[in-house]
Amino acid sequence: MTGNERPGAEVPGRTTISSRALHRMAVGLVADEGHVAGRDVVVSLGDEAGSLAVSITLPAVVGGIENTSLVERGADLRAAVTRGMDALAARRVGSVSVRFEGVRRQRKRRVL
């Protein structure tokens, strides 16, 4: 076996990923990257000429250790969703729209 072959690639069959699994995967990616709870994330998936169109709504987190603008956070979220959906589900993402709605305060923590 060479380094490019995957185990089981020659075994007949199919792998199916449900739309619900794709949705939950996107919510998890956004929650991790956005530092918010999954229950605070709203994700809509659609079709964009054969690619995924992802629409995200989440609260802006303020008061944490990170000192980045919302524009930078939006770019990081778009990149994380695009990379994650490709790596985990082999799905191409054509567009990602990020909307910050509401604010969540995060207290700075000190580790002793």
Side-chain angles (χ1 to χ4, degrees):
M1 182 166 18
T2 65
N4 294 335
E5 295 176 14
R6 291 185 173 174
E10 63 281 343
V11 177
R14 144 184 17 207
T15 301
T16 304
I17 303 171
S18 72
S19 60
R20 182 171 173 87
L22 289 173
H23 180 267
R24 294 301 304 157
M25 189 177 306
V27 167
L29 291 166
V30 172
D32 286 349
E33 184 67 28
H35 307 290
V36 295
R39 67 180 176 274
D40 293 333
V41 176
V42 177
V43 171
S44 296
L45 301 176
D47 180 42
E48 184 177 274
S51 297
L52 281 175
V54 183
S55 177
I56 301 165
T57 303
L58 74 156
V61 176
V62 296
I65 296 170
E66 267 187 50
N67 191 18
T68 58
S69 72
L70 290 179
V71 173
E72 292 170 319
R73 291 183 208 175
D76 292 344
L77 281 165
R78 287 192 301 277
V81 169
T82 301
R83 279 191 315 267
M85 295 302 278
D86 181 45
L88 297 172
R91 295 295 191 270
R92 192 163 80 72
V93 176
S95 68
V96 180
S97 298
V98 178
R99 179 181 183 146
F100 290 103
E101 195 172 88
V103 175
R104 293 286 185 273
R105 292 211 176 268
Q106 183 180 45
R107 297 181 190 261
K108 293 182 182 179
R109 294 183 181 180
R110 290 182 19 187
V111 179
L112 300 177

